[in-house]
Amino acid sequence: MRRAGAELWIGLAAAALVAALSLLPLLRLAVEAVDPELVRKTLSSPAVWRALGRSLETSLGGSVIALLLGAGFALAVGLTNLPARRMLALAVMLPLLIPSQIIVLAWIELFGPATRLLSLLGLGVEAGTTNPLYSAQGIMLLLGVEQAPIVFLAVRAALLATPRDLVEAARCAGAGGGRILGQIVLPLTLPALGAGFGLAFVACLGNFGIAALLGIPARYATLPVLIFQRLSGFGTSILAEAAVMAVALALVAGLGVLGVTWISRRRDSAVIGSASGADPLRFDLGRWAMPLGALLLAAALLMTAIPMAALAATSVTRAYGLALSSATFTLDHYARALAVPQTARALWNSLWMSGLSALLLAALAIPCAVAGLWARRRPVRRLFGLLGFVAELPYALPGVILGIAAILLYLRPLPVVNVTLYGTAGLIVIAYLARFMPLALRPVQVALLQVDRVLDEAAQAAGARYRHRLVSVAAPLVLPSAMAGALVVFLTAFNELTVSALLWSRGNETVGIVIYFLEEGGDTPGAAAVSMICVAFVFALAALATWLLPAPARRVLPWGR
Amino acid sequence: MRIEIDSVSRVFGGHAAVDGVSLTVGSGEFVVLLGPSGCGKTTLLRLIAGLEEPDGGAIRLDGRPVAGQGPFVGPGERNIGIVFQSYALWPHMTVAGNVGFALKVRGLPRAEREARIARALAQVGLQDHGRRFPFQLSGGQRQRVAVARCLAMSPPIILLDEPLANLDPNLRGAVLREFRQMHRELRSTFVYVTHDQAEAFALADRIAIMDAGRVIQFAPPREIFEEPRTAGVARFVGSGALLPAELLARTSEGRMLVRVLGHQAVVRCAGDMPTGSGMLCLKRRDVALHRTWEPGLIEARVADLRYQGGGEIAVLALPDGQEIEVELGRAEPAPAMGARVGLSARDGWVIPGAVAARASEAA
Ligand SMILES: Nc1ncnc2c1ncn2[C@@H]1O[C@H](COP(=O)(O)OP(=O)(O)OP(=O)(O)O)[C@@H](O)[C@H]1O
Ligand SMILES: [Mg+2]
């Protein structure tokens, strides 16, 4: 039976690869952290507890703000007749495309001198006083802005999935708009609100860029920042302790992940009836529609677009501290930043590392999805179900956890080949593969579920070998989705900071690292210039891909729905 | 409560889903809207409910204008109960919560609310299920909850949109009987949408046959079956043949001499039917079989023979390819397969043919 042989062989290889990438580092981390003596020593440090407390505090605060912003905008866009709702939705989702370290820089510049934006409102920061963003509240605010799109998308999807019948039945029962909102529509979106809150919370816990750029100047370190500071201060000698801290963070995040899973599996939240694909309610705001719409649009633009404009202004103003005018305009910062070999190298590094990761993951996702979903044997399907869950972990859990785990696993030379990956670009690529695998795998699985298995069975009946069917039946059908998944991986990895902050070494810097150190070193205009280059590149690529991808695959992109 | 629909139209993006429909449903009447998929039944029902606003025409309930004349009256103020095809049960409320929602909206005191909920649930045989959630019920039970929710308000008008479509075929017969009984007891006005003829004929006092947004016939089931107004209705409701006929002369009130495929017969027709050309609708019991064909009879061939319901049935192919079934007498020996036989018309119904179907029909 050579056919069954190929199926088994390809399936096992795919499974082994996923396990090696995702499971092995986490197991290695767990092994390191079970030593009771070590746990006692680490947890006896008040700094660790303080950092954990701060992580919880900022994450809760940040996800509450994200919930208010995301749900508020989703309800406004979904349930009212505000003007320019589409533009509003786009403005709210903008933070999805801009990495958090750049959003932080942009917000700092919002209070900064180049545009004097806030001084116009009387809110400007006087020279010599500290920017109010360097505080716990500042971190929470920016975490909230960063995560608002997650909640927005969850609530928006729930509103669109609400069957129109349910609202019409309430209207026939005589219920007015307020009662329908409070007793029908909101209860039905409650699971989405809960899931959105949980996702935002877990994402906030893992955030590094915002917490580091705002927290370090304020001497307010969250757990990921503390781990980073200890590692950069003491090097790998502190690794065991860092592992315990990472596991502590993983446990808290794990609770959040479990909460999200529980909410989305609850049976009474399963809606009976067909989704309308249209918004269930449309409140007529009357003469309030115009002013309210303008207010909300201004608020949404204030979240990202206006700070980005301030950052752009800083990047073209001759000296920091001056206001932008025709006299102070200059492109020197761009020329200066690119002239530094480190910056050019980092741009190239980020480009090839994330490009390679995206391609490898797309190539791995297809056989993995096929082996899991089209397996004839039940145990094989279950094995892949389990692997799918394992593959989610490095992405769902905070990035520092994977970072520490990868260092632990690859610090020593690999057996047999005797190559040390620690300190090389290879380690960063391997970490990217583990961390972003779900982003590539999910779209392919979704696409494959929509393909009728009959197509495969027909090819099988025609005598095609497994390998042949994989290449000529399954792969072409899911290729657009795999490409869209690869694009999401590329865009996410290109701007990545958390994992590379732990794994970079001289010569292997990423753009995220370079921006971070430029800002930390006080070269704000330089950081602004590199940020603008990154954002322009990402937007151009996203726009080009959205335009080139076929419609069904476009849905994979968060902004494509 | 009487429902008057007066040349009502509803247009979606240039396409009229309901196109100038006029219809009066008497108080306490059971009316079924019957027609093929996409003909506008649901839209008409939603117009009556107030879930759609007409683009033209007017609707009155017991003489009170609710749409098209004066201010639009929303669904909450029309005093209607509605059962959706999907049942539209609120998943986050218990069965009792679903049934009592409208009572709560009206601000009824708790004790009365509970009494009414209990009564409505008892009416559909779900007394003990008040505390369950919809996801804990079977499909049939969900359908009953939807009916109970509609009954709780004792509305004078009850609208049902294909309430049996999602039910097991075994359950349908029982539920149909319950609907009839419910109608007899409540004396509410029922408007019931379906595309299933058997359901329509089993339930209706009158059936409105719809096609492409128009009502093409509105009459009691017997009349719909025996005197279809257009070829479309005839094809939609009954097995039989439609043959081109020359309408020769009126013989008496409601009868006419026609020639069809070389055969002459006196058949039924509408009182105002002009002579000329038209169509003859022939059903199984309208024709008599002759063993051999001779001039003056309709020529036919035996295409199939089968035994059904205590008698032998011959399926006869007419020259134009249409088929008609004839029941053979008990003692009669069956003709051979493929044999050439003759048919004569004992009766039949004349339809104005070749002429376009006549537009909507008022009651
Ligand atoms: N909200 C709407 N927007 C646009 N077109 C609509 C809408 N509702 C109905 N239509 C169109 O109006 C026509 C009539 O629809 P309707 O739902 O009333 O048909 P129906 O007779 O109930 O069909 P079915 O038996 O399939 O339920 C259809 O062509 C449908 O596509
Ligand atoms: Mg319908």
Side-chain angles (χ1 to χ4, degrees):
Chain A
M1 282 296 282
R2 280 188 56 192
R3 256 183 241 160
E7 182 170 356
L8 201 65
W9 182 80
I10 295 178
L12 278 182
L17 215 58
V18 173
L21 282 171
S22 308
L23 193 56
L24 220 50
L26 296 182
L27 286 180
R28 177 68 188 82
L29 179 70
V31 167
E32 187 73 21
V34 287
D35 180 357
E37 179 56 25
L38 180 68
V39 172
R40 207 182 46 72
K41 186 168 149 247
T42 313
L43 295 187
S44 68
S45 152
V48 171
W49 283 105
R50 202 163 49 227
L52 186 60
R54 286 168 171 175
S55 272
L56 277 177
E57 186 179 304
T58 49
S59 301
L60 279 175
S63 36
V64 166
I65 293 175
L67 186 72
L68 294 177
L69 286 174
F73 279 112
L75 294 177
V77 168
L79 300 180
T80 67
N81 65 340
L82 284 179
R85 290 194 300 273
R86 208 174 150 68
M87 204 160 126
L88 197 57
L90 281 177
V92 176
M93 290 200 290
L94 214 50
L96 280 179
L97 268 181
I98 303 176
S100 63
Q101 65 271 19
I102 295 182
I103 293 188
V104 182
L105 295 190
W107 269 78
I108 294 173
E109 291 322 302
L110 188 62
F111 291 84
T115 54
R116 305 196 188 278
L117 264 176
L118 289 194
S119 9
L120 293 180
L121 301 173
L123 287 170
V125 182
E126 297 300 314
T129 58
T130 40
N131 191 320
L133 283 179
Y134 295 112
S135 62
Q137 289 75 18
I139 297 177
M140 289 179 201
L141 176 66
L142 286 197
L143 287 176
V145 166
E146 171 81 9
Q147 298 305 326
I150 304 281
V151 181
F152 179 84
L153 285 174
V155 176
R156 188 90 184 85
L159 286 178
L160 287 175
T162 303
R164 194 175 61 163
D165 294 3
L166 294 183
V167 169
E168 289 182 342
R171 282 176 65 199
C172 288
R179 191 188 285 267
I180 293 178
L181 182 66
Q183 296 185 8
I184 309 289
V185 176
L186 282 185
L188 289 175
T189 47
L190 215 52
L193 285 171
F197 179 79
L199 288 172
F201 175 74
V202 176
C204 288
L205 266 185
N207 177 278
F208 173 75
I210 294 172
L213 282 167
L214 294 181
I216 292 176
R219 313 193 140 279
Y220 183 93
T222 59
L223 203 47
V225 174
L226 184 69
I227 293 173
F228 168 76
Q229 285 177 316
R230 292 261 172 108
L231 268 180
S232 25
F234 302 97
T236 47
S237 61
I238 203 86
L239 210 48
E241 251 175 75
V244 176
M245 291 190 246
V247 169
L249 193 63
L251 290 180
V252 178
L255 284 181
V257 174
L258 279 184
V260 173
T261 319
W262 178 73
I263 289 172
S264 41
R265 296 248 169 103
R266 279 197 18 192
R267 287 192 60 197
D268 62 347
S269 63
V271 169
I272 300 162
S274 51
S276 58
D279 291 310
L281 264 184
R282 182 74 62 220
F283 281 109
D284 188 356
L285 296 176
R287 60 204 174 86
W288 292 102
M290 269 326 265
L292 208 59
L295 193 72
L296 284 180
L297 192 60
L301 290 176
L302 189 63
M303 280 171 60
T304 323
I306 296 177
M308 286 309 293
L311 187 65
T314 299
S315 75
V316 293
T317 306
R318 182 146 40 84
Y320 197 65
L322 298 179
L324 176 62
S325 68
S326 56
T328 59
F329 179 86
T330 177
L331 288 175
D332 281 356
H333 300 304
Y334 288 85
R336 188 168 53 80
L338 288 176
V340 181
Q342 211 184 15
T343 313
R345 196 165 63 210
L347 277 169
W348 169 240
N349 282 342
S350 281
L351 205 61
W352 78 258
M353 286 179 190
S354 34
L356 182 65
S357 308
L359 285 182
L360 287 177
L361 281 179
L364 179 63
I366 295 176
C368 255
V370 173
L373 293 174
W374 280 5
R376 267 170 305 173
R377 281 169 245 253
R378 229 179 113 112
V380 178
R381 283 202 301 271
R382 296 185 89 152
L383 171 72
F384 274 89
L386 204 65
L387 273 179
F389 175 72
V390 169
E392 290 278 335
L393 285 180
Y395 183 69
L397 294 177
V400 264
I401 294 168
L402 180 71
I404 299 288
I407 297 177
L408 281 168
L409 187 63
Y410 297 107
L411 189 58
R412 306 239 211 93
L414 293 177
V416 189
V417 287
N418 204 20
V419 175
T420 306
L421 281 173
Y422 183 69
T424 68
L427 181 57
I428 300 183
V429 173
I430 285 183
Y432 282 178
L433 291 181
R435 183 149 165 83
F436 301 124
M437 190 178 312
L439 296 182
L441 197 52
R442 267 184 241 149
V444 177
Q445 282 171 331
V446 170
L448 198 64
L449 280 175
Q450 285 160 354
V451 172
D452 199 336
R453 266 223 70 176
V454 170
L455 290 180
D456 179 52
E457 284 161 358
Q460 200 172 354
R465 296 260 172 84
Y466 183 74
R467 233 172 319 165
H468 188 231
R469 280 182 284 137
L470 189 64
V471 172
S472 56
V473 179
L477 289 170
V478 299
L479 200 60
S481 296
M483 270 161 32
L487 176 74
V488 174
V489 170
F490 180 82
L491 291 177
T492 318
F494 183 77
N495 285 312
E496 206 279 339
L497 175 62
T498 315
V499 172
S500 41
L502 295 176
L503 302 183
W504 75 281
S505 50
R506 256 196 86 71
N508 298 319
E509 305 87 350
T510 61
V511 246
I513 297 287
V514 165
I515 294 174
Y516 177 79
F517 282 119
L518 280 173
E519 171 73 11
E520 209 203 19
D523 183 3
T524 299
V530 181
S531 299
M532 293 318 294
I533 295 173
C534 284
V535 170
F537 174 66
V538 164
F539 269 77
L541 191 66
L544 184 70
T546 314
W547 181 53
L548 287 181
L549 278 176
R554 220 177 292 151
R555 273 164 215 261
V556 172
L557 311 174
W559 60 89
R561 274 169 285 199
Chain B
M1 192 178 264
R2 195 172 74 251
I3 307 170
E4 288 165 82
I5 300 168
D6 187 359
S7 20
V8 162
S9 295
R10 179 74 176 103
V11 182
F12 292 116
H15 163 82
V18 168
D19 190 2
V21 166
S22 294
L23 206 65
T24 297
V25 180
S27 187
E29 198 176 5
F30 198 130
V31 165
V32 172
L33 304 180
L34 176 67
S37 185
C39 68
K41 307 178 294 288
T42 298
T43 308
L44 185 55
L45 200 75
R46 291 168 58 82
L47 282 162
I48 299 173
L51 292 169
E52 301 278 354
E53 239 181 292
D55 294 308
I59 301 175
R60 286 179 295 277
L61 301 181
D62 263 355
R64 166 191 174 217
V66 292
Q69 277 170 315
F72 180 75
V73 178
E77 290 98 59
R78 289 195 184 184
N79 238 336
I80 45 132
I82 183 162
V83 177
F84 291 87
Q85 182 175 341
S86 64
Y87 310 147
L89 300 181
W90 299 299
H92 57 292
M93 295 185 195
T94 58
V95 165
N98 267 282
V99 174
F101 183 80
L103 307 173
K104 210 163 164 183
V105 171
R106 307 280 146 94
L108 263 67
R110 193 190 173 88
E112 186 179 347
R113 227 161 56 209
E114 278 173 4
R116 287 235 223 165
I117 293 171
R119 200 172 65 215
L121 284 178
Q123 270 176 303
V124 297
L126 287 177
Q127 318 52 343
D128 306 327
H129 293 64
R131 304 183 115 154
R132 298 225 193 147
F133 281 90
F135 75 88
Q136 294 168 316
L137 302 178
S138 71
Q141 288 171 329
R142 284 180 199 165
Q143 191 258 0
R144 280 155 198 273
V145 174
V147 171
R149 182 172 70 179
C150 163
L151 295 182
M153 286 297 300
S154 326
I157 296 178
I158 294 180
L159 307 175
L160 306 110
D161 191 359
E162 308 204 25
L164 306 188
N166 294 325
L167 281 193
D168 199 298
N170 295 325
L171 264 175
R172 287 190 194 169
V175 178
L176 276 183
R177 260 197 312 286
E178 285 168 25
F179 278 143
R180 288 257 2 135
Q181 189 182 347
M182 215 182 284
H183 175 241
R184 271 195 300 275
E185 284 167 8
L186 296 171
R187 298 311 312 166
S188 300
T189 309
F190 276 58
V191 180
Y192 183 111
V193 164
T194 182
H195 58 248
D196 182 304
Q197 267 188 62
E199 260 174 52
F201 281 96
L203 289 170
D205 292 330
R206 279 195 289 171
I207 297 176
I209 304 270
M210 292 188 68
D211 190 30
R214 292 157 180 263
V215 170
I216 47 181
Q217 189 166 9
F218 184 37
R222 225 182 94 84
E223 196 176 317
I224 296 269
F225 189 76
E226 293 188 347
E227 301 176 0
R229 193 176 301 273
T230 67
V233 177
R235 282 201 200 93
F236 188 71
V237 297
S239 63
L242 268 181
L243 303 170
E246 283 170 71
L247 313 182
L248 300 174
R250 301 282 290 269
T251 54
S252 62
E253 183 57 30
R255 297 192 79 75
M256 179 175 264
L257 177 69
V258 301
R259 177 158 51 228
V260 56
L261 298 175
H263 171 69
Q264 287 197 6
V266 174
V267 296
R268 289 171 296 125
C269 69
D272 55 355
M273 180 64 63
T275 54
S277 68
M279 299 183 108
L280 183 65
C281 175
L282 281 180
K283 294 209 160 42
R284 182 194 287 188
R285 56 159 189 253
D286 292 336
V287 292
L289 180 70
H290 303 257
R291 298 273 131 179
T292 51
W293 177 79
E294 53 200 60
L297 292 179
I298 301 170
E299 185 185 352
R301 263 174 210 288
V302 180
D304 195 14
L305 289 165
R306 67 165 197 271
Y307 185 79
Q308 180 193 313
E312 192 91 24
I313 306 259
V315 181
L316 305 177
L318 299 174
D320 65 348
Q322 288 194 72
E323 291 187 340
I324 188 166
E325 293 183 354
V326 183
E327 202 166 324
L328 302 175
R330 226 168 252 275
E332 255 178 298
M337 279 287 285
R340 188 160 80 150
V341 295
L343 284 178
S344 61
R346 286 196 286 243
D347 200 357
W349 169 253
V350 173
I351 296 171
V355 192
R358 242 192 301 169
S360 68
E361 195 50 47

